[in-house]
């Protein structure tokens, strides 16, 4: 099964995906709280009472959901300020429905530029530092079409003024993402087995 791997700089990023239990819970909770508050703003609502509890509850469930995703989803937060940037990478089967949905995206999504990943080759990058709707947070997406799958990385920033300060580091993280497959290697009489060194 295909899954994602990346070499995130641990001085800048904290992985949310692999932080089970108490480990990384503060960063998980901060990332979820930021995403919830951005969703509230996008819907025109102020921060709702109890959203702190909702962020905590979701932070407890999220690692189990990520574990079930089996490497098909990776998430990081900005180490210095977990509520500033959340980055999510995912791999999806390139179904005809997904291709049709991508073709029907709003015209703003046509304003992409080429972006070269270290392992995935040339893909597309769409940066929206000032989305048309002021309630929408700045974001950037990177997409690669491998033929059988789409690899998509989306980063959401909570602060329009600081988006320009982190975009270079987001680019660096996106370049390290790659697809790995679990392959079963058959063994036959012509297979050369090497012992431990």
């Amino acid at each position: 099964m295909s899954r994602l791997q990346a070499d995130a700089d641990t001085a800048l990023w904290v992985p949310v995906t692999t932080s089970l239990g108490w480990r990384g819970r503060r960063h998980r909770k901060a990332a979820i709280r930021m995403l919830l508050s951005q969703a509230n703003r996008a819907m025109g609502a102020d921060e709702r009472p109890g959203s702190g509890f909702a962020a905590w509850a979701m932070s407890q469930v999220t690692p189990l959901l990520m574990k079930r995703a089996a490497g098909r989803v990776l998430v990081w937060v900005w180490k210095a300020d977990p509520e500033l940037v959340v980055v999510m990478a995912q791999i999806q089967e390139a179904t005809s429905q997904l291709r049709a949905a991508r073709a029907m995206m709003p015209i703003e999504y046509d304003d992409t530029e080429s972006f070269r990943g270290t392992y995935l080759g040339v893909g597309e990058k769409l940066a929206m530092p000032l989305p048309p709707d002021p309630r929408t947070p700045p974001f950037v997406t990177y997409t690669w079409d491998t033929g059988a799958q789409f690899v998509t990385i989306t980063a959401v920033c909570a602060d329009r003024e600081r988006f320009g300060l982190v975009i270079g580091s987001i680019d660096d993280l996106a370049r390290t993402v790659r697809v790995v497959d679990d392959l079963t290697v058959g063994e036959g009489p012509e297979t050369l087995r090497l012992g431990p060194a």
Side-chain angles (χ1 to χ4, degrees), residues 106-109 127-139 160:
I107 195 161
E108 298 88 41
Y109 288 83
M128 296 287 276
L130 295 170
D133 186 342
R135 295 174 301 179
T136 304
F139 67 92
R160 289 182 177 222

Side-chain angles (χ1 to χ4, degrees), residues 115-146:
F115 181 82
R116 179 170 288 281
T118 305
Y119 304 100
L120 294 171
V122 177
E124 294 180 341
K125 173 184 172 181
L126 172 68
M128 296 287 276
L130 295 170
D133 186 342
R135 295 174 301 179
T136 304
F139 67 92
V140 59
T141 63
Y142 309 81
T143 307
W144 288 269
D145 183 351
T146 67

Side-chain angles (χ1 to χ4, degrees), residues 104-175:
M104 291 188 290
M105 291 175 102
I107 195 161
E108 298 88 41
Y109 288 83
D110 291 340
D111 194 18
T112 60
E113 58 186 76
S114 293
F115 181 82
R116 179 170 288 281
T118 305
Y119 304 100
L120 294 171
V122 177
E124 294 180 341
K125 173 184 172 181
L126 172 68
M128 296 287 276
L130 295 170
D133 186 342
R135 295 174 301 179
T136 304
F139 67 92
V140 59
T141 63
Y142 309 81
T143 307
W144 288 269
D145 183 351
T146 67
Q149 298 140 338
F150 284 115
V151 176
T152 308
I153 302 166
T154 304
V156 179
C157 183
D159 187 343
R160 289 182 177 222
E161 294 178 4
R162 294 163 68 191
F163 182 68
L165 300 174
V166 295
I167 187 69
S169 298
I170 298 170
D171 284 349
D172 292 342
L173 172 59
R175 283 189 186 95

Side-chain angles (χ1 to χ4, degrees), residues 72-135:
R72 297 180 72 78
V73 177
L74 300 176
V75 180
W76 300 268
V77 293
W78 189 247
K79 188 171 189 174
D81 185 355
E83 291 191 48
L84 179 64
V85 182
V86 178
V87 180
M88 182 174 77
Q90 62 180 334
I91 184 170
Q92 298 172 288
E93 185 183 346
T95 62
S96 55
Q97 293 87 351
L98 185 56
R99 289 189 184 280
R102 287 179 54 78
M104 291 188 290
M105 291 175 102
I107 195 161
E108 298 88 41
Y109 288 83
D110 291 340
D111 194 18
T112 60
E113 58 186 76
S114 293
F115 181 82
R116 179 170 288 281
T118 305
Y119 304 100
L120 294 171
V122 177
E124 294 180 341
K125 173 184 172 181
L126 172 68
M128 296 287 276
L130 295 170
D133 186 342
R135 295 174 301 179

